[in-house]
Amino acid sequence: MTGTGRLWVGLGSTFGALATALVVGGGFVYTGQLLPASARDRTLDTTATLADDGTVRLPAERRACLEHIGLLLPDGYVRIGGPVEGTCDGDGTVVRTVLAIDEGDPATGVTQPARFDEYIWHGPPSRVGLSFEDVVVPTERGDAPAWLLPGEGDRWAIVVHGRTGTREESLRILPTLVAHGLHTLAITHRNDFAGGPPAADGTGRYGASEWPDLAAAVDWARARGARDIVLVGFSQGGSLIGYLLRERGPDHIAGIVLDSPLLSLPETLVLQARRRNIPGPIVPPILFGTQQVARLQADFDVADVEHVDTFAGSDVPLLLFHGPGDDFVPVGPSDRLAAARTRAMTYERLPTAGHVEGFNADADRYTTAVTRFLEGL
């Protein structure tokens, strides 16, 4: 072999080794971020200055200008809204009104760490004026706490929160469900750090292993007289619903409401890679490695978390909320679902809504859409 030939062989071997290291190493790193179930992030990653006149000054960004948003502070929690003074983009500030102090006694007159919170309300359903009962739903992993809100008749709603979420995510839609007389069950599920039972291996599988807990909640409701059930899923909650439809079919499911649903885990991982500033050309090999490592480490098939076809092929009436501002779960699969399904489908594509921020962006439009959907079932 000539010297040139040996050079090319050497280079090929080097590039092959680098590619292998990229696939395997990147796969292990990304899988380490992907699989462990984690609690809701409470990092105070922005700032706020509360004034004695009941206003708050915030850095100019999209979330500061949402119609309704919560603000987590070192010593309290406030709800903000009202008129927007200032611009929503750029390097300036925005002034909003403090609508209520829900927790603590936040300091005024000083700039302090803060975190935007789309939940708006913290606490049980009594926080939004609703009576409820603490119940437990038996699952194969143990008892899962739930809130049960009384209704009338034999129609129920079951609400499923998202990954790292809590039942407080449901507080924005609970009043509308209860106003329509639905017995409403806001559930927890395995490994959710929100009261649900732990998974055997501490691994979250994006609905693939969690959906039986939703099935248990459906059975629990049916044992108490539920004839028709409306399923409501936020983010990963939509994946649990997708698996339920795929594995058990639509029996007793009268309607489905999805808010920023996880319809494609592979596409979500691509979006998350971009958020981490991973260069585009190396995203595919890293995701390939991630899929292989997840399969070997946790017997988890990332590519199985795909639900567009499941929902598109279903006749169960569907209300879908999503927006292009979602930088956590991509809107593309929701767009494809809306394009593929022409019957019994309402798509509220909200231009200013980020992840599960439909109510926050336009509460009237959100509530009206849910109301019309329930009335049409």
Side-chain angles (χ1 to χ4, degrees):
M1 180 180 293
T2 66
T4 301
R6 287 193 295 271
L7 173 63
W8 282 112
V9 170
L11 288 174
S13 299
T14 300
F15 283 122
L18 289 174
T20 300
L22 177 63
V23 170
V24 176
F28 271 105
V29 170
Y30 208 0
T31 304
Q33 300 173 1
L34 167 71
L35 292 182
S38 57
R40 183 165 167 77
D41 190 357
R42 308 278 284 182
T43 305
L44 304 180
D45 56 3
T46 188
T47 60
T49 307
L50 276 65
D52 291 329
D53 63 359
T55 62
V56 56
R57 185 173 297 276
L58 303 160
E61 64 152 285
R62 181 189 59 79
R63 291 174 299 173
C65 296
L66 288 169
E67 184 179 292
H68 300 282
I69 194 72
L71 204 60
L72 180 65
L73 302 165
D75 52 0
Y77 186 90
V78 301
R79 286 184 282 130
I80 61 176
V84 177
E85 296 182 19
T87 180
C88 298
D89 50 21
D91 298 325
T93 59
V94 170
V95 176
R96 304 298 300 275
T97 300
V98 176
L99 302 177
I101 299 175
D102 280 349
E103 295 176 8
D105 184 19
T108 60
V110 296
T111 299
Q112 55 191 305
R115 182 179 184 84
F116 290 111
D117 181 24
E118 70 275 6
Y119 284 13
I120 307 177
W121 292 280
H122 274 200
S126 55
R127 183 74 74 181
V128 291
L130 299 175
S131 60
F132 73 102
E133 178 184 357
D134 283 312
V135 298
V136 293
V137 174
T139 77
E140 61 187 20
R141 290 297 309 162
D143 288 343
W147 293 328
L148 175 61
L149 292 81
E152 303 170 357
D154 54 11
R155 176 160 286 179
W156 285 56
I158 298 177
V159 187
V160 194
H161 65 71
R163 184 175 173 86
T164 79
T166 71
R167 285 172 288 175
E168 293 169 329
E169 191 164 32
S170 68
L171 294 178
R172 291 164 290 176
I173 199 171
L174 287 183
T176 307
L177 300 174
V178 171
H180 282 78
L182 277 69
H183 303 274
T184 301
L185 190 66
I187 68 170
T188 57
H189 55 72
R190 68 190 68 186
N191 232 30
D192 64 359
F193 285 84
D201 58 2
T203 295
R205 292 179 174 81
Y206 297 84
S209 60
E210 294 83 1
W211 75 267
D213 298 345
L214 171 59
V218 169
D219 294 341
W220 191 90
R222 289 190 58 206
R224 284 152 183 78
R227 179 178 59 87
D228 295 326
I229 299 174
V230 177
L231 299 178
V232 180
F234 292 90
S235 189
Q236 180 185 270
S239 180
L240 271 71
I241 295 172
Y243 273 109
L244 181 73
L245 283 181
R246 188 193 303 182
E247 301 294 335
R248 296 214 336 188
D251 289 350
H252 305 285
I253 307 304
I256 296 171
V257 180
L258 300 177
D259 190 331
S260 306
L262 173 62
L263 300 178
S264 171
L265 182 55
E267 291 184 51
T268 299
L269 295 183
V270 171
L271 177 62
Q272 291 295 319
R274 291 172 180 160
R275 288 188 67 196
R276 291 169 169 82
N277 297 315
I278 297 175
I282 68 172
V283 169
I286 287 178
L287 294 186
F288 176 77
T290 299
Q291 290 178 318
Q292 307 316 309
V293 173
R295 185 177 289 111
L296 292 172
Q297 278 192 341
D299 192 24
F300 173 48
D301 185 1
V302 171
D304 187 61
V305 188
E306 291 278 4
H307 302 298
V308 171
D309 290 345
T310 297
F311 286 113
S314 173
D315 290 324
V316 177
L318 176 64
L319 171 61
L320 171 63
F321 295 98
H322 215 152
D326 192 332
D327 63 354
F328 194 81
V329 172
V331 73
S334 289
D335 290 343
R336 292 202 308 277
L337 169 57
R341 179 169 167 165
T342 58
R343 63 196 182 282
M345 167 85 186
T346 301
Y347 185 20
E348 296 288 341
R349 197 176 194 271
L350 301 165
T352 61
H355 190 56
V356 292
E357 290 177 355
F359 182 95
N360 307 74
D362 193 333
D364 286 343
R365 178 177 173 179
Y366 191 95
T367 301
T368 298
V370 175
T371 298
R372 289 175 177 170
F373 179 73
L374 296 176
E375 290 174 349
L377 294 180

